[in-house]
Amino acid sequence: MSNLTSTSEFLLLEFSDVRELQLLHFFVFLAVYMIAVMGNLLIIIAVMLDHHLHTPMYFFLMNLALLDLGIVSVMVPKAMANSLLNTRSISYSGCVAQVFFYFFFGGSDFSVLTIMAHDRYVAICNPLQYETIMHKGACIQMAASAWIAGIVYAILSTGCTFANTFCSNQINQFFCEVPQMLKVSCSELYLLEVGLLIVSCTIAGGCFIFIIITYMQIFSTLLRMPTVQGQKKAFSTCIPHLIVVSLLIFTGVFAYIRPPSNTSSDLNILFAVIYAILPPLLNPFIYSMRNKDIKSALLKLTNFGLSPQTNAVKIILEKLC
């Protein structure tokens, strides 16, 4: 096979050869994208505007919503454009950008979820020292560490991936998915990325075990709480987070841990949609449906938006400054 290292573009997987189905995929992805964007934006705005949500838990939730916005924006707009314009191509630099930003947002996202588990543990199991441990400076440092970890992981993963030479420019996925790119690599350097993925899965598994152990301790403490109301309130903040973590972990298994096999193109697309698009789409609903504080803030936000006497732009700018 010829060496295509100097290729200027890659060819992605088409959703369908039928033009009508391509347009259908465009409108479906457009609806999914708009729902994900609006859901995460509502959480971000609610946390910014409602002073009752200016706590470490909701600060990290706002970071999570920002990262989810990034994840869903990495691949969906390009997939929509390709379906609308009846094309398969993505530039080499565009593919590099997709890989980098997906690993950046994804790595940071999981780091924030791990930090959120620690926050809930301190709040429920060690409440008397909560303000001392989870003070403003510590929260900012934790969030910054999560974002920096994502950047480092993205640089390493992107560098290892594109250090390879490629024997084909056809990627069997609707975005630049690393496992599919490694299948068309024709150099031994792909082993670097494979090794990095194994290390990444090991670290992610370790974080998942840490989260599970943390929540076992949290639930043990909750069951000893004297009031049922206190238990319900604590469960309402813990259960959504545990669901989000489980969703991210188990959907990621579809792409990175499933046994290598010649799966069909339709299954590859389904797996990718499940692990890359489903979590950012569902996260806002998971948090808002079981969290009374978020529901109350969103209701206030709706009423606030309908009030002609208030200047929303001014207040948002004041919060940002």
Side-chain angles (χ1 to χ4, degrees):
M1 298 177 70
S2 59
N3 187 328
L4 294 177
T5 307
S6 60
T7 184
S8 60
E9 66 177 17
F10 290 96
L11 298 178
L12 301 175
L13 185 66
E14 288 182 307
F15 289 107
S16 174
D17 296 329
V18 181
R19 184 58 182 155
E20 289 77 11
L21 290 178
Q22 289 179 341
L23 293 176
L24 176 62
H25 282 116
F26 167 77
F27 286 112
V28 170
F29 266 55
L30 177 62
V32 168
Y33 183 65
M34 294 302 296
I35 293 171
V37 169
M38 290 303 298
N40 284 290
L41 277 178
L42 282 174
I43 286 182
I44 294 169
I45 295 172
V47 173
M48 289 174 57
L49 293 180
D50 194 329
H51 70 277
H52 293 102
L53 302 183
H54 292 178
T55 63
M57 182 180 74
Y58 294 110
F59 169 72
F60 294 126
L61 178 58
M62 184 177 69
N63 277 267
L64 186 68
L66 284 168
L67 293 167
D68 283 339
L69 270 177
I71 290 174
V72 79
S73 298
V74 166
M75 60 200 72
V76 175
K78 179 59 180 175
M80 290 192 300
N82 281 358
S83 293
L84 184 64
L85 301 176
N86 191 23
T87 182
R88 299 173 54 196
S89 64
I90 181 172
S91 66
Y92 187 90
S93 59
C95 196
V96 172
Q98 274 198 346
V99 171
F100 176 83
F101 284 108
Y102 180 74
F103 279 114
F104 166 50
F105 290 123
S108 301
D109 191 273
F110 197 74
S111 298
V112 169
L113 286 171
T114 305
I115 292 171
M116 290 174 73
H118 173 68
D119 170 72
R120 290 298 81 206
Y121 171 79
V122 176
I124 294 172
C125 299
N126 200 2
L128 296 180
Q129 297 186 21
Y130 182 73
E131 292 186 1
T132 302
I133 298 174
M134 303 300 295
H135 57 85
K136 182 178 180 180
C139 292
I140 293 175
Q141 289 176 0
M142 290 180 191
S145 298
W147 288 74
I148 292 171
I151 291 176
V152 172
Y153 178 52
I155 291 174
L156 291 175
S157 296
T158 307
C160 290
T161 300
F162 290 95
N164 288 282
T165 55
F166 299 100
C167 298
S168 171
N169 67 341
Q170 298 193 39
I171 301 174
N172 191 34
Q173 189 53 271
F174 70 91
F175 67 99
C176 293
E177 185 186 53
V178 170
Q180 297 298 330
M181 295 185 69
L182 295 181
K183 289 183 179 181
V184 297
S185 170
C186 54
S187 72
E188 295 298 325
L189 289 175
Y190 82 93
L191 294 174
L192 290 175
E193 179 62 16
V194 171
L196 185 60
L197 287 175
I198 292 174
V199 172
S200 302
C201 291
T202 302
I203 294 174
C207 290
F208 184 61
I209 292 173
F210 167 79
I211 292 172
I212 293 300
I213 293 174
T214 298
Y215 271 98
M216 288 175 64
Q217 294 175 324
I218 289 174
F219 291 147
S220 175
T221 302
L222 288 177
L223 293 175
R224 295 196 300 268
M225 278 188 173
T227 62
V228 176
Q229 186 176 0
Q231 289 180 347
K232 288 183 177 180
K233 185 175 181 180
F235 273 115
S236 70
T237 62
C238 293
I239 294 298
H241 178 251
L242 195 57
I243 292 174
V244 169
V245 172
S246 301
L247 183 65
L248 186 64
I249 286 289
F250 292 117
T251 54
V253 169
F254 282 108
Y256 293 97
I257 306 181
R258 72 178 190 267
S261 61
N262 295 321
T263 54
S264 67
S265 298
D266 292 338
L267 280 178
N268 281 331
I269 291 177
L270 177 61
F271 290 148
V273 169
I274 288 174
Y275 85 84
I277 298 177
L278 198 61
L281 175 66
L282 295 182
N283 285 358
F285 299 100
I286 292 172
Y287 277 106
S288 61
M289 284 189 298
R290 293 190 58 88
N291 192 300
K292 291 183 179 180
D293 292 334
I294 291 290
K295 287 180 182 179
S296 176
L298 291 176
L299 184 60
K300 289 180 183 178
L301 181 62
T302 303
N303 295 333
F304 175 79
L306 295 175
S307 175
Q309 289 81 19
T310 53
N311 187 341
V313 176
K314 179 180 178 182
I315 294 182
I316 290 174
L317 289 175
E318 288 177 354
K319 294 292 183 181
L320 287 173
C321 295

